[in-house]
Amino acid sequence: MAVTVVVPVIADDDVESYKFDFGGAVGMSGYLGDANESNLFQRPGFAANLGMRYLMDSRWALGARCGLSTLSGNTADFDNALPFGEQYSFTSTVADLSVRGECNFFAYGTGRTYEHLSRWTPFVFAGAGVSMAFSGGSSSAAFSMPLGVGIKYKVAPRLNLSAEFSMTKVFGDKIDGDRLSDLYGIKSSFLKNTDWYSGLLLGISYEFGARCSTCNRID
């Protein structure tokens, strides 16, 4: 009597997909405001963040992120003429908390060839949050809006590398401290005379929370 042993083979289509990922990124920060109106990378600082995302499908994700950036600027770096010939400089630390939506240009992932997934994709994101600045013994908080673009690559079924550039619009004028909030005597408002800061970061994330894999569809 012959005995047949069947060895299961895990096909490419059997690679699991996951609902969440967690990761972090580090890189360089930049500042635009009263002490720097034109050169985003005049005095680069340090930036880092941690975040978690819900992976809605291969193109869309919704996440929360907390970040930390160091910013600095000096009006002497530029030719702008300030009232009474004054010059100002600052250093500050900015902490932010935000939620953001993210859209991949390509269907992102591995396995499941019927979905035509790609190991890499450009992406864009936008969000809303709060930025808190600490400078010269003072602190401030304001509503903020991060916007950005990036590219990601899946090095393993659950491991992702990314590079991104973001600009965060702060709806306030004290990211660079109290002394720089009204240099030209023009009163700030929700949209006018406000600050920006940027991040150029490299990141890594790990996926978890396997989706149900008991059913597949065939396109």
Side-chain angles (χ1 to χ4, degrees):
M1 178 178 177
V3 177
T4 303
V5 178
V6 178
V7 178
V9 176
I10 300 177
D12 186 51
D13 283 354
D14 294 325
V15 175
E16 288 185 305
S17 64
Y18 299 88
K19 294 183 287 186
F20 306 98
D21 78 352
F22 177 81
V26 296
M28 180 177 68
S29 64
Y31 154 83
L32 286 178
D34 292 304
N36 179 1
E37 297 183 355
S38 59
N39 187 345
L40 183 61
F41 300 109
Q42 177 70 25
R43 291 175 177 260
F46 172 78
N49 64 52
L50 290 173
M52 183 173 174
R53 295 179 299 177
Y54 170 58
L55 308 175
M56 303 168 66
D57 55 31
S58 60
R59 287 187 182 270
W60 293 93
L62 181 65
R65 181 166 295 196
C66 59
L68 188 71
S69 302
T70 61
L71 307 178
S72 63
N74 192 327
T75 58
D77 294 335
F78 303 95
D79 296 329
N80 294 347
L82 301 179
F84 309 109
E86 296 283 358
Q87 298 293 347
Y88 298 91
S89 64
F90 82 97
T91 58
S92 68
T93 300
V94 179
D96 57 62
L97 181 64
S98 64
V99 294
R100 75 184 202 182
E102 187 174 298
C103 177
N104 299 324
F105 283 33
F106 309 144
Y108 180 64
T110 57
R112 306 187 310 283
T113 54
Y114 58 88
E115 293 187 28
H116 308 291
L117 301 179
S118 172
R119 277 186 175 270
W120 73 279
T121 182
F123 64 92
V124 295
F125 62 86
V130 175
S131 294
M132 295 151 283
F134 307 89
S135 177
S138 65
S139 62
S140 65
F143 174 73
S144 59
M145 182 180 296
L147 307 166
V149 297
I151 188 168
K152 65 180 72 169
Y153 178 73
K154 188 171 286 294
V155 295
R158 302 174 72 169
L159 192 65
N160 309 281
L161 298 180
S162 66
E164 68 177 51
F165 174 74
S166 66
M167 289 292 297
T168 299
K169 170 68 171 178
V170 182
F171 293 91
D173 194 28
K174 294 187 178 182
I175 286 293
D176 43 19
D178 290 333
R179 295 177 64 225
L180 292 164
S181 62
D182 191 15
L183 293 185
Y184 299 98
I186 301 173
K187 186 176 180 181
S188 300
S189 67
F190 188 70
L191 294 174
K192 183 177 63 177
N193 198 28
T194 53
D195 297 324
W196 294 77
Y197 62 95
S198 69
L200 181 60
L201 299 104
L202 298 177
I204 186 170
S205 66
Y206 182 78
E207 297 177 8
F208 62 97
R211 298 182 190 277
C212 174
S213 57
T214 57
C215 59
N216 292 308
R217 64 181 177 86
I218 300 176
D219 292 334

